[in-house]
Amino acid sequence: MSTKKNFVTIDGVVTIAYPNAMFLVHLDNDIDVLTVISGKMRCRTIRVIPGDRVRVELPIYDLSKGRIIYRYPVKRKDDATDEAH
C-alpha cells in the first residue's frame, strides 16, 4: 500500500497508449483506468508502451483516473544481446 494518505496503489498492464502520455491500464482487479505518467517519470524520460507492467496510484475519491508511478523492468528483444556472433 501507499504511504500517502488518500491514495491507493495497485499493479496493472498498459493496454492502450493515447496521445499526450495518457494510457489505458487494465488493473489486476479487472478494472480499466485512464492514467497519465507522473512528473518524475516524465523528467527521467521513462518510456511506457502497451504491454508494460506498471504500478498505478489512484485517489480514493475518483477510482476511474490515476497516475503511473513505476514501470517494472522487462526484457525486450531489442535489449537482449545476441551471443551467436
Side-chain angles (χ1 to χ4, degrees):
M1 291 301 271
S2 165
T3 57
K4 294 183 182 180
K5 251 187 174 177
N6 295 326
F7 290 94
V8 176
T9 58
I10 190 164
D11 295 339
V13 177
V14 176
T15 55
I16 300 173
Y18 294 115
N20 290 340
M22 296 193 75
F23 300 92
L24 188 67
V25 177
H26 184 75
L27 301 177
D28 289 344
N29 58 0
D30 293 331
I31 296 175
D32 290 330
V33 177
L34 187 65
T35 60
V36 296
I37 294 181
S38 70
K40 288 183 181 181
M41 289 181 68
R42 267 189 203 198
C43 289
R44 294 185 177 105
T45 61
I46 296 173
R47 303 281 178 170
V48 178
I49 60 172
D52 283 348
R53 187 134 181 90
V54 294
R55 182 178 300 150
V56 176
E57 185 177 68
L58 300 169
I60 59 174
Y61 302 109
D62 184 12
L63 298 176
S64 65
K65 297 177 186 169
R67 174 177 35 202
I68 297 174
I69 58 172
Y70 182 74
R71 181 182 63 88
Y72 289 100
V74 293
K75 279 206 170 191
R76 295 196 177 98
K77 291 181 183 179
D78 336 359
D79 298 339
T81 58
D82 228 22
E83 297 189 22
H85 286 357

